Every structure is written in C-alpha cells, then in structure tokens.
Amino acid sequence: MKPRLWTLILPLAAGLACADANPGDSRGDTVDLAALDAVFSDFADPEGPGCAFAVARDGQQVMARAYGQANLEWDIPNTPETVFEPGSVSKQFTAAATILLALDGRIDLDDDIREHFPEDTGDVGGPEFIRLMHDEGTLDSGRRIGYAGGLRVGEYKGVREVWHSGSTAAYRGFLTRYPDHGVAVSLMCNAREADSRGLARQVAELYLADAITEASPADSAGVDVDPARVAAFAGGYRDTRTGQYLELTADGSSLRLGGGMQGLQLMAASETEFTSPVVVSIAYEAGAEGGRPAAIMNTPGAVDVRIEPVGEFSPTAADLADYVGAYRSDEAEVTYWVEVEDGSLVLKDRYGDGEALDPVYPDAFTQGGTTYIFHRGDGGRVTEASLSQGRVWHLRFDRIQ
C-alpha cells in the first residue's frame, strides 16, 4: 500500500527540525486548544474547505488537528490523515534523496544530472546531511540567496527558521522548522484563500512562546517618505530579461508589487529604495525627465534585474486585428487561437475556452500573471508570440495561420 503523503511529510519535518537542536532548548509545555482553534477560525465552517496541521517537538508529534471539508460533494471532513497536494513543499524531499545518494558515495553533487536518475532509499538525518540540506546556494556574484536543499533558510522574529511553501490549484501548504528549539509545524489547506505561511507561523508562535525575541520585519514601518513621491513611482514596468509585466501600486510610504493593494509590500528604505522581508528590493535610478525612472530589482533568485517603466497601451480594433490567428509551440505541444471578442483580445485553447487579455504595453498583454508578447517580422506583420510566467521565459509560439 502506498504511504499517505501526510505520514511522509511529518516524520521528515520532525527529523530535520530536531536533528541539530539542543535538547536543553526543548520544553514540555502545552498549548491551549482554544488558542489553536482561534488561528483557524476562518476555516471552521463544516460547509467549506479548510486546513489540517501537525506539530512536532524533538521529533515527536505533539498535536494534530483539522478543519473544514475534504470533499464537499460527499460531505467528507478534513482530518490529520487527509491527503493533500503539497506543491513546492515536496522539493525538499527530492533534495533529501539526492543528498542521501551523495553521502552514500553513489553520486557527486557536481555531477552532470544526465548521468544519473536512480531510485534509492536511506536513513534521514545526521550532521552532514543536515549541513548539506541547509547549505544555501551562491550566485556567480558571490551573493548567497537564502535557498538551500529545497528549503529557505533564515529567521522569523529572531528565531532561526527553515521552511518552504507550496501551492497548486486550490491547495496551499507550508512546512517550517525551528531547529534551535526542536519545533516543526506542517500545514496543508485545500482552500485557495488560505495564508498557509501566516497560519503555520501563528501555530509555531504558540509553541515557541518566549523564544520569540523581536517583531517580524513585516511589522516595521520603514522610512517615512512623502506619499506623493512614492505615488510618482507607481505604474507598469517591463522586466528587461523576460519581457514580463510588473505593476507597482502606491500605498502611503510603501509600494506594493503585483495584485494591487493585496500585493507584496515593499517598505521605503530611502526615498528611492524599497524592500520587503522576503528579500525583494527595488532601487530607482536617477530621475528621468518627464516620467518615471527605471529601477534595479533584486529577488532571492536573481540580482541586478533592470525594470523599465511602460506607458499605457490602448490598441484600436485595427491594432487587435493584427494579432488574430493560430499560434503553435512544438516545445509545449500546444496550439492557441487568438480572436477578438467584444473589443478585447481573447486567447483560446483547443476546446474554445479562454479569457480576455489585458493590453499592458505595445504588442504585450497579460492574463493571470502571464505576459504574452507578439513579435513582428519584416514589414511589421506579427509572425510569432511568446509568453513569460515566473520561471518560464520566452516560450515561443509560431504563427501558423
């Protein structure tokens, strides 16, 4: 019988959390159930989806609870044994399996990946295993990125933390560990709106108690900058590497990246620099006459990325007609059809389903976080298109009709 995903996640979480913990840091205190239930009050409705979580201390499970429904049609509630799709939470398990092979001498971490693709099992743990799992990557520039073996390494409110989030479809997950205190929290939700990171950390705070020594960086107000000056930076930008469209919204003395007022908050570090607790920063160049300046953006995975301001793009009916046609990607093995409906450009799949695209800058449109860019050949005719989304850059589509 195939082991349930939940029963695989928690033991590894506990092992990785506590393998390098000082037993003297562990406490035997308990947490009031009412305090835990209060964290998940938004997901206690028996008529809707919810979450399940478990807590381990020093390698032993000390709490597991669930809220909401696993299956609305069949009226099946979530339980701590419910199978959830963890998304990117699973990356650390791939990293763990790879490191086990390296420790066994079966592979070298510098080998070409195409030389190996075996299946293997082994014991999890040990100082060298933990060191390799927590070893942060380093860019060619020498900058450490805070990302290790499928894990992010850092601090939360003064406590050392090792974590990773995950999401796919409407599933949300978060697995976090506090090695110096032997505490691990594993959380899975089947509700799209669930803030898995925030929920898991609220649970963790109840168990860490007085180990919390400082406020979250997110609680910092940043530098007080004239809101009118911040508002001058608001608008659309183009990532010069990928062509992807980014939108910055002014929020008092802060900027928000993507999602309007629900986007990632970037607090002012100066009149031209804005940062977030998740190591995203934007630094504006010297002011451009008559418009917004370009900026340099840094993220955990990329540094010195230039973003340039773009103006509004309001294509006419004739402009939209230039894009109509069928576009094929042999790499992705998919064909899309571009049509005009009700004055908007619509991208349709083979079933005829699709949604309107929003124009963002000349020959570029967005929908659902994806930027679609149309490319013109000699004579100005559109001959191909590309899309960029997250880690997919410039996926090409040839115009076939």
Side-chain angles (χ1 to χ4, degrees), residues 152 163 165 173-174 187 194-202 278:
R152 294 195 179 277
W163 61 273
S165 61
F174 195 75
L187 172 75
D195 176 12
S196 59
R197 181 185 310 190
L199 293 169
R201 283 175 170 170
Q202 286 183 66
V278 292

Side-chain angles (χ1 to χ4, degrees), residues 222-278:
V223 174
D224 187 17
V225 177
D226 182 358
R229 183 174 180 83
V230 176
F233 296 129
Y237 292 81
R238 180 180 67 90
D239 182 325
T240 57
R241 300 169 307 162
T242 67
Q244 192 157 4
Y245 177 76
L246 308 171
E247 184 174 3
L248 290 168
T249 304
D251 181 12
S253 295
S254 300
L255 288 171
R256 289 189 180 272
L257 176 61
M261 299 308 289
Q262 301 301 315
L264 174 67
Q265 185 178 33
L266 300 167
M267 296 169 292
S270 72
E271 289 191 340
T272 58
E273 296 182 41
F274 299 82
T275 64
S276 81
V278 292

Side-chain angles (χ1 to χ4, degrees), residues 195-385:
D195 176 12
S196 59
R197 181 185 310 190
L199 293 169
R201 283 175 170 170
Q202 286 183 66
V203 171
E205 286 189 35
L206 294 172
Y207 284 88
L208 292 169
D210 56 4
I212 300 294
T213 59
E214 63 183 45
S216 169
D219 297 333
S220 173
V223 174
D224 187 17
V225 177
D226 182 358
R229 183 174 180 83
V230 176
F233 296 129
Y237 292 81
R238 180 180 67 90
D239 182 325
T240 57
R241 300 169 307 162
T242 67
Q244 192 157 4
Y245 177 76
L246 308 171
E247 184 174 3
L248 290 168
T249 304
D251 181 12
S253 295
S254 300
L255 288 171
R256 289 189 180 272
L257 176 61
M261 299 308 289
Q262 301 301 315
L264 174 67
Q265 185 178 33
L266 300 167
M267 296 169 292
S270 72
E271 289 191 340
T272 58
E273 296 182 41
F274 299 82
T275 64
S276 81
V278 292
V279 202
V280 173
S281 67
I282 293 178
Y284 282 91
E285 300 175 350
E289 293 186 8
R292 288 172 290 139
I296 300 299
M297 183 171 67
N298 292 297
T299 68
V303 296
D304 296 334
V305 176
R306 182 180 174 83
I307 59 173
E308 297 178 341
V310 296
E312 291 186 4
F313 175 44
S314 301
T316 64
D319 294 330
L320 294 179
D322 285 348
Y323 308 117
V324 173
Y327 296 82
R328 170 73 182 176
S329 171
D330 290 333
E331 181 180 0
E333 299 182 332
V334 66
T335 300
Y336 288 120
W337 287 262
V338 176
E339 302 176 3
V340 176
E341 292 183 355
D342 299 325
S344 296
L345 208 62
V346 179
L347 184 75
K348 294 187 175 182
D349 59 22
R350 59 178 177 171
Y351 303 107
D353 296 327
E355 296 187 28
L357 304 179
D358 297 319
V360 288
Y361 63 84
D363 289 338
F365 298 76
T366 64
Q367 197 282 314
T370 300
T371 301
Y372 300 90
I373 305 171
F374 293 90
H375 304 275
R376 299 176 184 269
D378 295 338
R381 180 179 181 273
V382 174
T383 57
E384 64 179 11

